[in-house]
Amino acid sequence: MNFDIDALLDLWTEPHTPGPQAEAAFGRFYTDPVVVNGASLRISDLVDRAIALQHTFDDIDREVLELAQSDETVTVVFRLSGRHVGSLNSSAGIVPPTGRIISLRIMDLLR
């Protein structure tokens, strides 16, 4: 399997307009619905999350930490970093902008 890691990361760092085109791009990698931290989300929810994340960071940077592939799965661990300029919706609640550089570590298991 030849996995397109750049296309996956682009989903989270490149601008999107909500709608069928963005949902189709996410649908290349994610099922609908997809389970995220135990919650079932629609592809449109992922698009909304990506747009919100892009408004959270200024000068977003991405770094692949791990990439493991088999015939049926791909596991990607990556980091998104940037200046925290917008509210961040986290499992601990809303984090108001700090102006500091912050990093998020993300792990996707794709089947």
Side-chain angles (χ1 to χ4, degrees), residues 56-110:
T56 299
F57 288 108
D58 190 27
D59 297 325
I60 196 166
D61 186 39
R62 59 200 207 185
E63 176 187 6
V64 176
L65 303 173
E66 277 300 318
L67 176 62
Q69 301 179 61
S70 72
D71 290 338
E72 297 180 16
T73 63
V74 175
T75 302
V76 182
V77 181
F78 60 100
R79 182 183 347 233
L80 298 178
S81 303
R83 187 160 310 281
H84 183 199
V85 296
S87 295
L88 174 64
N89 189 4
S90 75
S91 59
I94 303 292
V95 180
T98 63
R100 297 180 185 169
I101 302 296
I102 63 170
S103 294
L104 302 175
R105 189 178 304 189
I106 299 148
M107 182 172 74
D108 281 351
L109 172 60
L110 309 167

Side-chain angles (χ1 to χ4, degrees), residues 44-61:
S44 60
D45 297 326
L46 291 183
V47 173
D48 292 343
R49 280 181 169 216
I51 291 168
L53 188 63
Q54 293 161 10
H55 289 103
T56 299
F57 288 108
D58 190 27
D59 297 325
I60 196 166
D61 186 39

Side-chain angles (χ1 to χ4, degrees), residues 7-61:
L8 175 73
L9 296 179
D10 285 348
L11 294 176
W12 298 102
T13 60
E14 298 299 317
H16 300 286
T17 301
Q21 187 174 1
E23 291 174 23
F26 274 80
R28 283 186 56 209
F29 297 95
Y30 299 99
T31 59
D32 191 3
V34 61
V35 177
V36 177
N37 297 329
S40 181
L41 300 177
R42 306 284 313 192
I43 290 291
S44 60
D45 297 326
L46 291 183
V47 173
D48 292 343
R49 280 181 169 216
I51 291 168
L53 188 63
Q54 293 161 10
H55 289 103
T56 299
F57 288 108
D58 190 27
D59 297 325
I60 196 166
D61 186 39

